[in-house]
Amino acid sequence: MESTCEESTQIQQQQQQVPKIQIYPPPNSGVSPFWKEKYDREANKYWDKFYKKHQDKFFKDRHYLDKEWGTYFHGSDSKTKVILEVGCGAGNTIFPLVATYPDIFVHACDFSHRAVDLVKSHKDFNEDHVNAFVCDLTTDDLSKNVGSSSTVDIVTMIFVLSAVAPEKMSLVLQNLREVLKPNGLVLFRDYAVGDLAQERFTCKDQKISENFYVRGDGTRAFYFSQEFLASLFKENGFEAEEIGLCCKQVENRSRELVMNRRWMQAVFRYSDGNTSCIRKCGGRLDLDQEFNQARLKNGSSSMEPVDDFELDISESIAVEMFGISPAIDEIIEINLGEHNLKIKGLSREHQHTCKSTGLMLWESARLMSAVLAQNPSIVRGKKVLELGCGCTGITSMIAARSAELVVATDGDTKALNLLNQNVALNLKPACLSKLVTRKLDWGDASDLKGVKQLTLHGFDIIMGMDVTYIAECISPLFATARELISSGEDFDLDPRPALILCHVVRRVDETSILSAASQFGFKLVDRWPAGRPTNSSQNIIDPWFTNHTYEEDYQNTPLNILYFHI
C-alpha cells in the first residue's frame, strides 16, 4: 500500500509539470505537412466532391469572354480556331464560346471526373465541336488527348492555375507549350493578392504557403501578384501582351458592408519579341438584397456581368456579405451490421474552417466502432472511458450497448454539445442511461476530479481515437489515462485494465508515443497491424479481426492500434 501511494504521488507530480493543453492546434498555425501532402495528392477528389455537391449550379456561364477577348477568337482569317480550355469545370466557358463562335473547336479538360461528366451531359455538348477529357495538367501529357503537338491556337485559363500548388505551376505551363502553335495565346484570369477571400483566410488555420490557402471544402486557391505572374510565364517561354490588376468594390448597403474583390487578367503569347503593356480595369458594384441585382453606381455597364461574379467559393464570404448561414454540419450514416447510426457533424471537408478537430468523424473511430460492434466482449460489463471522443462519439455509443458504464470526454465544449445531440438521437433509453458525457482537458485537476467521481476504482478500458498527433499533448494524454485507469488492487484481474489507442501516425512518431507511455507506467503488449513484435506480445487484437470483413475496408488506410497494460 505504501508503494502504491508513493507511485500515485509521483504521477501527480508529473502531471503538475505538464502544462494544460487542448487537443487541437493553436490558431494561425497553418496547415500541417500531413494535410499539405494530402490536399495535393487528392486534389482531384476534393474537386470531385465539389462538383458532386454543386453539379453545374455554382458558376455562371462566362458571357463576358466575347467582350474581353473577342478579337482573339475572331482572328484575321477564316480558319477554324482550336481552343483548349483547361480546368473546364462544368463547361461555363466552353458553351458560351461555342454559342458565340460556332466555327471553333474546343478541347476541354479537367482533373475532376465529375466535371468532365457534367460537360458531356450538357444539352449543348456535341463531339463535333467539343472534345472533353480528364487530365491532370501537372502529370499528364496534353498532346495525347489533343491529337498532336502545336495544334492549339488559344488556351483559356479562367480561375484554374490558382488551384495548382505554386511549385507545380511551371509544369502546367510547360505542358501547354507542347500543344500551342507558335505565337499561340493564353487568356488568363485568376485571383489576385489582396482579394477579400485571401483576407478572410488569414483569420483561420488555412495557409499552406505564401499566398496559397486551402478552402473549407479541401480545394485550394493561390493569390497572384502581378510580379509573380509575369515572372512565372516569362520563365516558361511566354511574353505578356496584356497584364493587369482588376478591382471591384462590392457593396451591400442593407448590411453596411463594402468588400474589395481583386483578380489578375492577362494575355500571354508563346513567342519572343512582343511588347508588354499593362491595362487596368475596375468598377464599383452596389449590392442591395440580392447578389444578382448588382449595378454600377455610375450607371454604366460593367466590364464583367454580375451574374458571373464567381471570384471565390468560400462560404465564409457568403456569411459575412449576405448573411447566409452555411450548412456546416452533415448527417453521416454509419452501418455497423445490427447497429445503424446517424451522426451530425462537421464534414471533414470543412476541417480548417474551425480550430477544433473534434467536430469531425475520423477513420480511427469508424474502425474501433466496427471492432466493438463485432466483438462486444471487449467492453462487456466493464467501465469504459473515451478520451477526445469529439462530437460523434460513435465508439462510445457502440460500447454502451455492452459495457456497464461509458464516459465520453472531450475538451471542446462545442464538440460536447453536438455529442449530446448525437447520443440522444441514436441511443435507446437502456443504453442512454449507461453513457455519460463530460468535459475533460487532459491534466486539468478540476476536470479529472469530475470524471473520477463517476467510478470508485477507475476505468477498466480507456480508449483514444486519433488523439496522438500533437507532440505537446502526448504526456498529458498518458498522465490523464494513468490517473483514471483502474487502481492497483484491480491489476490481478483477467483481462487486466487496458489503454487502447487507434490512430494514423502523423506529426508524432511511434517511438515518441511509446517512450511517453513507458514514463507513465504503460507497457505495450500488442499492436495491429502486427509489424514488429513487442517485448511482451500477446495475441489480443488479432481475434478481433477473425472472420470479419472490416479489416479489408481499412487495409489501405494507415491506421494503427496499440494495446497497453500497466
Side-chain angles (χ1 to χ4, degrees), residues 190-199 210-213 222-229 245-247 260-264:
D190 221 320
Y191 306 107
V193 169
D195 181 62
L196 162 68
Q198 184 183 22
E199 294 175 357
E210 187 67 25
N211 295 323
F212 193 38
Y213 303 84
F222 183 84
Y223 293 82
F224 293 91
S225 67
Q226 186 168 298
E227 294 74 19
F228 178 91
L229 183 63
L245 171 66
C246 297
C247 308
N260 295 313
R261 306 312 310 269
R262 299 159 67 91
W263 67 97
M264 298 301 304

PDB file of all heavy atoms in Angstrom, residues 190-199 210-213 222-229 245-247 260-264:
ATOM      1  N   ASP A 190      -7.466  35.129 -62.934  1.00  0.00           N
ATOM      2  CA  ASP A 190      -7.373  34.375 -61.681  1.00  0.00           C
ATOM      3  C   ASP A 190      -7.262  35.339 -60.501  1.00  0.00           C
ATOM      4  O   ASP A 190      -7.129  36.551 -60.687  1.00  0.00           O
ATOM      5  CB  ASP A 190      -6.178  33.416 -61.704  1.00  0.00           C
ATOM      6  CG  ASP A 190      -6.503  32.058 -61.094  1.00  0.00           C
ATOM      7  OD1 ASP A 190      -7.213  32.045 -60.058  1.00  0.00           O
ATOM      8  OD2 ASP A 190      -6.058  31.035 -61.637  1.00  0.00           O
ATOM      9  N   TYR A 191      -7.290  34.769 -59.288  1.00  0.00           N
ATOM     10  CA  TYR A 191      -7.301  35.568 -58.062  1.00  0.00           C
ATOM     11  C   TYR A 191      -6.034  36.395 -57.897  1.00  0.00           C
ATOM     12  O   TYR A 191      -4.947  35.957 -58.272  1.00  0.00           O
ATOM     13  CB  TYR A 191      -7.449  34.660 -56.841  1.00  0.00           C
ATOM     14  CG  TYR A 191      -8.627  33.732 -56.897  1.00  0.00           C
ATOM     15  CD1 TYR A 191      -8.440  32.365 -57.128  1.00  0.00           C
ATOM     16  CD2 TYR A 191      -9.921  34.206 -56.726  1.00  0.00           C
ATOM     17  CE1 TYR A 191      -9.522  31.503 -57.186  1.00  0.00           C
ATOM     18  CE2 TYR A 191     -11.000  33.350 -56.782  1.00  0.00           C
ATOM     19  CZ  TYR A 191     -10.798  32.002 -57.016  1.00  0.00           C
ATOM     20  OH  TYR A 191     -11.867  31.155 -57.081  1.00  0.00           O
ATOM     21  N   ALA A 192      -6.165  37.564 -57.267  1.00  0.00           N
ATOM     22  CA  ALA A 192      -5.038  38.452 -57.031  1.00  0.00           C
ATOM     23  C   ALA A 192      -4.805  38.660 -55.541  1.00  0.00           C
ATOM     24  O   ALA A 192      -5.742  38.589 -54.733  1.00  0.00           O
ATOM     25  CB  ALA A 192      -5.269  39.800 -57.711  1.00  0.00           C
ATOM     26  N   VAL A 193      -3.557  38.924 -55.204  1.00  0.00           N
ATOM     27  CA  VAL A 193      -3.191  39.234 -53.824  1.00  0.00           C
ATOM     28  C   VAL A 193      -4.017  40.421 -53.326  1.00  0.00           C
ATOM     29  O   VAL A 193      -4.210  41.403 -54.038  1.00  0.00           O
ATOM     30  CB  VAL A 193      -1.687  39.570 -53.736  1.00  0.00           C
ATOM     31  CG1 VAL A 193      -1.342  40.158 -52.376  1.00  0.00           C
ATOM     32  CG2 VAL A 193      -0.850  38.329 -54.007  1.00  0.00           C
ATOM     33  N   GLY A 194      -4.502  40.318 -52.110  1.00  0.00           N
ATOM     34  CA  GLY A 194      -5.295  41.386 -51.522  1.00  0.00           C
ATOM     35  C   GLY A 194      -6.784  41.238 -51.714  1.00  0.00           C
ATOM     36  O   GLY A 194      -7.567  42.068 -51.236  1.00  0.00           O
ATOM     37  N   ASP A 195      -7.194  40.173 -52.396  1.00  0.00           N
ATOM     38  CA  ASP A 195      -8.627  39.926 -52.564  1.00  0.00           C
ATOM     39  C   ASP A 195      -9.273  39.647 -51.217  1.00  0.00           C
ATOM     40  O   ASP A 195      -8.627  39.149 -50.285  1.00  0.00           O
ATOM     41  CB  ASP A 195      -8.839  38.736 -53.504  1.00  0.00           C
ATOM     42  CG  ASP A 195     -10.318  38.438 -53.744  1.00  0.00           C
ATOM     43  OD1 ASP A 195     -10.999  39.308 -54.289  1.00  0.00           O
ATOM     44  OD2 ASP A 195     -10.763  37.349 -53.348  1.00  0.00           O
ATOM     45  N   LEU A 196     -10.549  39.961 -51.124  1.00  0.00           N
ATOM     46  CA  LEU A 196     -11.302  39.746 -49.891  1.00  0.00           C
ATOM     47  C   LEU A 196     -11.150  38.313 -49.377  1.00  0.00           C
ATOM     48  O   LEU A 196     -10.986  38.083 -48.181  1.00  0.00           O
ATOM     49  CB  LEU A 196     -12.777  40.050 -50.144  1.00  0.00           C
ATOM     50  CG  LEU A 196     -13.793  39.498 -49.141  1.00  0.00           C
ATOM     51  CD1 LEU A 196     -13.630  40.194 -47.806  1.00  0.00           C
ATOM     52  CD2 LEU A 196     -15.201  39.660 -49.673  1.00  0.00           C
ATOM     53  N   ALA A 197     -11.200  37.348 -50.291  1.00  0.00           N
ATOM     54  CA  ALA A 197     -11.123  35.946 -49.869  1.00  0.00           C
ATOM     55  C   ALA A 197      -9.802  35.648 -49.174  1.00  0.00           C
ATOM     56  O   ALA A 197      -9.758  34.926 -48.177  1.00  0.00           O
ATOM     57  CB  ALA A 197     -11.296  35.032 -51.081  1.00  0.00           C
ATOM     58  N   GLN A 198      -8.710  36.211 -49.676  1.00  0.00           N
ATOM     59  CA  GLN A 198      -7.415  35.997 -49.034  1.00  0.00           C
ATOM     60  C   GLN A 198      -7.391  36.620 -47.646  1.00  0.00           C
ATOM     61  O   GLN A 198      -6.859  36.032 -46.706  1.00  0.00           O
ATOM     62  CB  GLN A 198      -6.288  36.580 -49.879  1.00  0.00           C
ATOM     63  CG  GLN A 198      -4.914  36.294 -49.292  1.00  0.00           C
ATOM     64  CD  GLN A 198      -3.790  36.926 -50.084  1.00  0.00           C
ATOM     65  OE1 GLN A 198      -3.997  37.881 -50.818  1.00  0.00           O
ATOM     66  NE2 GLN A 198      -2.591  36.383 -49.956  1.00  0.00           N
ATOM     67  N   GLU A 199      -7.967  37.782 -47.494  1.00  0.00           N
ATOM     68  CA  GLU A 199      -8.030  38.426 -46.189  1.00  0.00           C
ATOM     69  C   GLU A 199      -8.806  37.574 -45.199  1.00  0.00           C
ATOM     70  O   GLU A 199      -8.457  37.491 -44.021  1.00  0.00           O
ATOM     71  CB  GLU A 199      -8.674  39.814 -46.322  1.00  0.00           C
ATOM     72  CG  GLU A 199      -7.835  40.787 -47.145  1.00  0.00           C
ATOM     73  CD  GLU A 199      -8.553  42.109 -47.349  1.00  0.00           C
ATOM     74  OE1 GLU A 199      -9.710  42.236 -46.898  1.00  0.00           O
ATOM     75  OE2 GLU A 199      -7.961  43.008 -47.962  1.00  0.00           O
ATOM     76  N   GLU A 210       3.086  30.703 -48.852  1.00  0.00           N
ATOM     77  CA  GLU A 210       2.884  32.121 -49.154  1.00  0.00           C
ATOM     78  C   GLU A 210       1.824  32.300 -50.247  1.00  0.00           C
ATOM     79  O   GLU A 210       1.960  31.782 -51.356  1.00  0.00           O
ATOM     80  CB  GLU A 210       4.205  32.749 -49.612  1.00  0.00           C
ATOM     81  CG  GLU A 210       4.152  34.249 -49.783  1.00  0.00           C
ATOM     82  CD  GLU A 210       3.969  34.965 -48.443  1.00  0.00           C
ATOM     83  OE1 GLU A 210       4.350  34.379 -47.400  1.00  0.00           O
ATOM     84  OE2 GLU A 210       3.473  36.102 -48.451  1.00  0.00           O
ATOM     85  N   ASN A 211       0.748  33.015 -49.906  1.00  0.00           N
ATOM     86  CA  ASN A 211      -0.363  33.317 -50.824  1.00  0.00           C
ATOM     87  C   ASN A 211      -1.122  32.074 -51.300  1.00  0.00           C
ATOM     88  O   ASN A 211      -1.881  32.149 -52.266  1.00  0.00           O
ATOM     89  CB  ASN A 211       0.124  34.106 -52.050  1.00  0.00           C
ATOM     90  CG  ASN A 211       0.651  35.474 -51.682  1.00  0.00           C
ATOM     91  OD1 ASN A 211       0.124  36.131 -50.782  1.00  0.00           O
ATOM     92  ND2 ASN A 211       1.693  35.923 -52.369  1.00  0.00           N
ATOM     93  N   PHE A 212      -0.950  30.957 -50.622  1.00  0.00           N
ATOM     94  CA  PHE A 212      -1.595  29.696 -51.020  1.00  0.00           C
ATOM     95  C   PHE A 212      -2.384  29.155 -49.841  1.00  0.00           C
ATOM     96  O   PHE A 212      -1.830  28.986 -48.751  1.00  0.00           O
ATOM     97  CB  PHE A 212      -0.524  28.698 -51.455  1.00  0.00           C
ATOM     98  CG  PHE A 212      -1.050  27.487 -52.184  1.00  0.00           C
ATOM     99  CD1 PHE A 212      -2.107  27.572 -53.082  1.00  0.00           C
ATOM    100  CD2 PHE A 212      -0.461  26.238 -51.987  1.00  0.00           C
ATOM    101  CE1 PHE A 212      -2.565  26.456 -53.759  1.00  0.00           C
ATOM    102  CE2 PHE A 212      -0.907  25.118 -52.661  1.00  0.00           C
ATOM    103  CZ  PHE A 212      -1.964  25.232 -53.552  1.00  0.00           C
ATOM    104  N   TYR A 213      -3.683  28.873 -50.042  1.00  0.00           N
ATOM    105  CA  TYR A 213      -4.571  28.517 -48.947  1.00  0.00           C
ATOM    106  C   TYR A 213      -5.468  27.351 -49.350  1.00  0.00           C
ATOM    107  O   TYR A 213      -5.702  27.094 -50.534  1.00  0.00           O
ATOM    108  CB  TYR A 213      -5.470  29.707 -48.567  1.00  0.00           C
ATOM    109  CG  TYR A 213      -4.703  30.947 -48.180  1.00  0.00           C
ATOM    110  CD1 TYR A 213      -4.248  31.827 -49.161  1.00  0.00           C
ATOM    111  CD2 TYR A 213      -4.419  31.248 -46.850  1.00  0.00           C
ATOM    112  CE1 TYR A 213      -3.521  32.966 -48.821  1.00  0.00           C
ATOM    113  CE2 TYR A 213      -3.701  32.378 -46.505  1.00  0.00           C
ATOM    114  CZ  TYR A 213      -3.261  33.227 -47.498  1.00  0.00           C
ATOM    115  OH  TYR A 213      -2.551  34.346 -47.155  1.00  0.00           O
ATOM    116  N   PHE A 222      -4.579  29.921 -54.878  1.00  0.00           N
ATOM    117  CA  PHE A 222      -3.379  30.753 -54.825  1.00  0.00           C
ATOM    118  C   PHE A 222      -3.753  32.161 -55.274  1.00  0.00           C
ATOM    119  O   PHE A 222      -4.564  32.338 -56.182  1.00  0.00           O
ATOM    120  CB  PHE A 222      -2.303  30.176 -55.748  1.00  0.00           C
ATOM    121  CG  PHE A 222      -1.002  30.939 -55.710  1.00  0.00           C
ATOM    122  CD1 PHE A 222      -0.057  30.672 -54.732  1.00  0.00           C
ATOM    123  CD2 PHE A 222      -0.724  31.920 -56.664  1.00  0.00           C
ATOM    124  CE1 PHE A 222       1.146  31.380 -54.692  1.00  0.00           C
ATOM    125  CE2 PHE A 222       0.465  32.621 -56.631  1.00  0.00           C
ATOM    126  CZ  PHE A 222       1.406  32.352 -55.638  1.00  0.00           C
ATOM    127  N   TYR A 223      -3.132  33.173 -54.648  1.00  0.00           N
ATOM    128  CA  TYR A 223      -3.421  34.573 -54.967  1.00  0.00           C
ATOM    129  C   TYR A 223      -2.184  35.195 -55.603  1.00  0.00           C
ATOM    130  O   TYR A 223      -1.123  35.277 -54.991  1.00  0.00           O
ATOM    131  CB  TYR A 223      -3.873  35.313 -53.703  1.00  0.00           C
ATOM    132  CG  TYR A 223      -5.204  34.789 -53.224  1.00  0.00           C
ATOM    133  CD1 TYR A 223      -5.271  33.630 -52.444  1.00  0.00           C
ATOM    134  CD2 TYR A 223      -6.396  35.395 -53.609  1.00  0.00           C
ATOM    135  CE1 TYR A 223      -6.490  33.103 -52.057  1.00  0.00           C
ATOM    136  CE2 TYR A 223      -7.621  34.873 -53.215  1.00  0.00           C
ATOM    137  CZ  TYR A 223      -7.656  33.731 -52.442  1.00  0.00           C
ATOM    138  OH  TYR A 223      -8.871  33.215 -52.073  1.00  0.00           O
ATOM    139  N   PHE A 224      -2.336  35.626 -56.879  1.00  0.00           N
ATOM    140  CA  PHE A 224      -1.213  36.070 -57.690  1.00  0.00           C
ATOM    141  C   PHE A 224      -0.916  37.550 -57.499  1.00  0.00           C
ATOM    142  O   PHE A 224      -1.830  38.382 -57.453  1.00  0.00           O
ATOM    143  CB  PHE A 224      -1.504  35.827 -59.176  1.00  0.00           C
ATOM    144  CG  PHE A 224      -1.585  34.386 -59.569  1.00  0.00           C
ATOM    145  CD1 PHE A 224      -2.796  33.707 -59.546  1.00  0.00           C
ATOM    146  CD2 PHE A 224      -0.447  33.692 -59.968  1.00  0.00           C
ATOM    147  CE1 PHE A 224      -2.884  32.379 -59.914  1.00  0.00           C
ATOM    148  CE2 PHE A 224      -0.518  32.358 -60.338  1.00  0.00           C
ATOM    149  CZ  PHE A 224      -1.732  31.696 -60.306  1.00  0.00           C
ATOM    150  N   SER A 225       0.358  37.868 -57.433  1.00  0.00           N
ATOM    151  CA  SER A 225       0.790  39.254 -57.612  1.00  0.00           C
ATOM    152  C   SER A 225       1.159  39.419 -59.079  1.00  0.00           C
ATOM    153  O   SER A 225       1.460  38.433 -59.782  1.00  0.00           O
ATOM    154  CB  SER A 225       2.007  39.563 -56.738  1.00  0.00           C
ATOM    155  OG  SER A 225       3.138  38.829 -57.165  1.00  0.00           O
ATOM    156  N   GLN A 226       1.155  40.673 -59.555  1.00  0.00           N
ATOM    157  CA  GLN A 226       1.488  40.909 -60.954  1.00  0.00           C
ATOM    158  C   GLN A 226       2.921  40.474 -61.246  1.00  0.00           C
ATOM    159  O   GLN A 226       3.204  39.885 -62.295  1.00  0.00           O
ATOM    160  CB  GLN A 226       1.320  42.392 -61.279  1.00  0.00           C
ATOM    161  CG  GLN A 226       1.502  42.729 -62.752  1.00  0.00           C
ATOM    162  CD  GLN A 226       1.043  44.133 -63.069  1.00  0.00           C
ATOM    163  OE1 GLN A 226      -0.126  44.464 -62.902  1.00  0.00           O
ATOM    164  NE2 GLN A 226       1.966  44.965 -63.502  1.00  0.00           N
ATOM    165  N   GLU A 227       3.828  40.723 -60.297  1.00  0.00           N
ATOM    166  CA  GLU A 227       5.224  40.379 -60.491  1.00  0.00           C
ATOM    167  C   GLU A 227       5.414  38.860 -60.574  1.00  0.00           C
ATOM    168  O   GLU A 227       6.143  38.364 -61.445  1.00  0.00           O
ATOM    169  CB  GLU A 227       6.069  40.943 -59.335  1.00  0.00           C
ATOM    170  CG  GLU A 227       6.133  42.462 -59.271  1.00  0.00           C
ATOM    171  CD  GLU A 227       4.843  43.086 -58.762  1.00  0.00           C
ATOM    172  OE1 GLU A 227       4.039  42.347 -58.124  1.00  0.00           O
ATOM    173  OE2 GLU A 227       4.626  44.289 -58.999  1.00  0.00           O
ATOM    174  N   PHE A 228       4.755  38.131 -59.668  1.00  0.00           N
ATOM    175  CA  PHE A 228       4.876  36.668 -59.668  1.00  0.00           C
ATOM    176  C   PHE A 228       4.330  36.094 -60.962  1.00  0.00           C
ATOM    177  O   PHE A 228       4.950  35.216 -61.582  1.00  0.00           O
ATOM    178  CB  PHE A 228       4.119  36.082 -58.475  1.00  0.00           C
ATOM    179  CG  PHE A 228       4.135  34.576 -58.412  1.00  0.00           C
ATOM    180  CD1 PHE A 228       5.125  33.901 -57.716  1.00  0.00           C
ATOM    181  CD2 PHE A 228       3.168  33.821 -59.070  1.00  0.00           C
ATOM    182  CE1 PHE A 228       5.155  32.520 -57.676  1.00  0.00           C
ATOM    183  CE2 PHE A 228       3.185  32.438 -59.038  1.00  0.00           C
ATOM    184  CZ  PHE A 228       4.180  31.785 -58.333  1.00  0.00           C
ATOM    185  N   LEU A 229       3.169  36.583 -61.406  1.00  0.00           N
ATOM    186  CA  LEU A 229       2.530  36.053 -62.600  1.00  0.00           C
ATOM    187  C   LEU A 229       3.387  36.301 -63.842  1.00  0.00           C
ATOM    188  O   LEU A 229       3.613  35.393 -64.650  1.00  0.00           O
ATOM    189  CB  LEU A 229       1.151  36.692 -62.772  1.00  0.00           C
ATOM    190  CG  LEU A 229       0.310  36.191 -63.937  1.00  0.00           C
ATOM    191  CD1 LEU A 229      -0.021  34.716 -63.755  1.00  0.00           C
ATOM    192  CD2 LEU A 229      -0.984  37.004 -64.055  1.00  0.00           C
ATOM    193  N   LEU A 245      -4.084  44.328 -63.019  1.00  0.00           N
ATOM    194  CA  LEU A 245      -4.859  44.046 -61.810  1.00  0.00           C
ATOM    195  C   LEU A 245      -6.233  44.651 -61.970  1.00  0.00           C
ATOM    196  O   LEU A 245      -6.370  45.852 -62.258  1.00  0.00           O
ATOM    197  CB  LEU A 245      -4.156  44.644 -60.595  1.00  0.00           C
ATOM    198  CG  LEU A 245      -4.928  44.634 -59.270  1.00  0.00           C
ATOM    199  CD1 LEU A 245      -5.126  43.200 -58.794  1.00  0.00           C
ATOM    200  CD2 LEU A 245      -4.196  45.453 -58.216  1.00  0.00           C
ATOM    201  N   CYS A 246      -7.261  43.846 -61.798  1.00  0.00           N
ATOM    202  CA  CYS A 246      -8.642  44.319 -61.884  1.00  0.00           C
ATOM    203  C   CYS A 246      -9.253  44.356 -60.482  1.00  0.00           C
ATOM    204  O   CYS A 246      -9.015  43.446 -59.677  1.00  0.00           O
ATOM    205  CB  CYS A 246      -9.469  43.412 -62.786  1.00  0.00           C
ATOM    206  SG  CYS A 246      -8.902  43.398 -64.497  1.00  0.00           S
ATOM    207  N   CYS A 247      -9.992  45.395 -60.207  1.00  0.00           N
ATOM    208  CA  CYS A 247     -10.577  45.579 -58.877  1.00  0.00           C
ATOM    209  C   CYS A 247     -12.057  45.913 -58.997  1.00  0.00           C
ATOM    210  O   CYS A 247     -12.472  46.637 -59.902  1.00  0.00           O
ATOM    211  CB  CYS A 247      -9.880  46.713 -58.128  1.00  0.00           C
ATOM    212  SG  CYS A 247      -8.087  46.580 -58.067  1.00  0.00           S
ATOM    213  N   ASN A 260     -13.655  44.393 -51.061  1.00  0.00           N
ATOM    214  CA  ASN A 260     -12.848  44.524 -52.264  1.00  0.00           C
ATOM    215  C   ASN A 260     -12.569  43.166 -52.890  1.00  0.00           C
ATOM    216  O   ASN A 260     -12.115  42.251 -52.216  1.00  0.00           O
ATOM    217  CB  ASN A 260     -11.520  45.213 -51.937  1.00  0.00           C
ATOM    218  CG  ASN A 260     -11.707  46.641 -51.473  1.00  0.00           C
ATOM    219  OD1 ASN A 260     -12.445  47.397 -52.095  1.00  0.00           O
ATOM    220  ND2 ASN A 260     -11.053  47.010 -50.383  1.00  0.00           N
ATOM    221  N   ARG A 261     -12.856  43.059 -54.172  1.00  0.00           N
ATOM    222  CA  ARG A 261     -12.531  41.858 -54.939  1.00  0.00           C
ATOM    223  C   ARG A 261     -11.452  42.217 -55.940  1.00  0.00           C
ATOM    224  O   ARG A 261     -11.511  43.242 -56.607  1.00  0.00           O
ATOM    225  CB  ARG A 261     -13.754  41.307 -55.671  1.00  0.00           C
ATOM    226  CG  ARG A 261     -14.970  41.055 -54.788  1.00  0.00           C
ATOM    227  CD  ARG A 261     -14.641  40.293 -53.516  1.00  0.00           C
ATOM    228  NE  ARG A 261     -13.877  39.087 -53.694  1.00  0.00           N
ATOM    229  CZ  ARG A 261     -14.409  37.876 -53.872  1.00  0.00           C
ATOM    230  NH1 ARG A 261     -15.719  37.727 -53.886  1.00  0.00           N
ATOM    231  NH2 ARG A 261     -13.646  36.813 -54.001  1.00  0.00           N
ATOM    232  N   ARG A 262     -10.440  41.373 -56.057  1.00  0.00           N
ATOM    233  CA  ARG A 262      -9.287  41.656 -56.905  1.00  0.00           C
ATOM    234  C   ARG A 262      -8.917  40.395 -57.688  1.00  0.00           C
ATOM    235  O   ARG A 262      -8.915  39.295 -57.127  1.00  0.00           O
ATOM    236  CB  ARG A 262      -8.090  42.112 -56.051  1.00  0.00           C
ATOM    237  CG  ARG A 262      -8.352  43.385 -55.270  1.00  0.00           C
ATOM    238  CD  ARG A 262      -7.386  43.522 -54.096  1.00  0.00           C
ATOM    239  NE  ARG A 262      -6.017  43.734 -54.527  1.00  0.00           N
ATOM    240  CZ  ARG A 262      -5.475  44.935 -54.721  1.00  0.00           C
ATOM    241  NH1 ARG A 262      -6.190  46.024 -54.517  1.00  0.00           N
ATOM    242  NH2 ARG A 262      -4.218  45.060 -55.110  1.00  0.00           N
ATOM    243  N   TRP A 263      -8.610  40.572 -58.973  1.00  0.00           N
ATOM    244  CA  TRP A 263      -8.142  39.451 -59.761  1.00  0.00           C
ATOM    245  C   TRP A 263      -7.175  39.945 -60.836  1.00  0.00           C
ATOM    246  O   TRP A 263      -7.148  41.124 -61.191  1.00  0.00           O
ATOM    247  CB  TRP A 263      -9.302  38.684 -60.399  1.00  0.00           C
ATOM    248  CG  TRP A 263     -10.071  39.420 -61.458  1.00  0.00           C
ATOM    249  CD1 TRP A 263      -9.896  39.336 -62.808  1.00  0.00           C
ATOM    250  CD2 TRP A 263     -11.147  40.339 -61.255  1.00  0.00           C
ATOM    251  NE1 TRP A 263     -10.786  40.148 -63.461  1.00  0.00           N
ATOM    252  CE2 TRP A 263     -11.579  40.772 -62.520  1.00  0.00           C
ATOM    253  CE3 TRP A 263     -11.795  40.829 -60.117  1.00  0.00           C
ATOM    254  CZ2 TRP A 263     -12.607  41.675 -62.690  1.00  0.00           C
ATOM    255  CZ3 TRP A 263     -12.830  41.734 -60.281  1.00  0.00           C
ATOM    256  CH2 TRP A 263     -13.238  42.147 -61.552  1.00  0.00           C
ATOM    257  N   MET A 264      -6.343  39.032 -61.306  1.00  0.00           N
ATOM    258  CA  MET A 264      -5.404  39.322 -62.383  1.00  0.00           C
ATOM    259  C   MET A 264      -6.019  38.927 -63.710  1.00  0.00           C
ATOM    260  O   MET A 264      -6.685  37.891 -63.808  1.00  0.00           O
ATOM    261  CB  MET A 264      -4.087  38.556 -62.184  1.00  0.00           C
ATOM    262  CG  MET A 264      -3.310  38.904 -60.925  1.00  0.00           C
ATOM    263  SD  MET A 264      -2.854  40.632 -60.813  1.00  0.00           S
ATOM    264  CE  MET A 264      -1.948  40.838 -62.354  1.00  0.00           C
TER     265      MET A 264
END
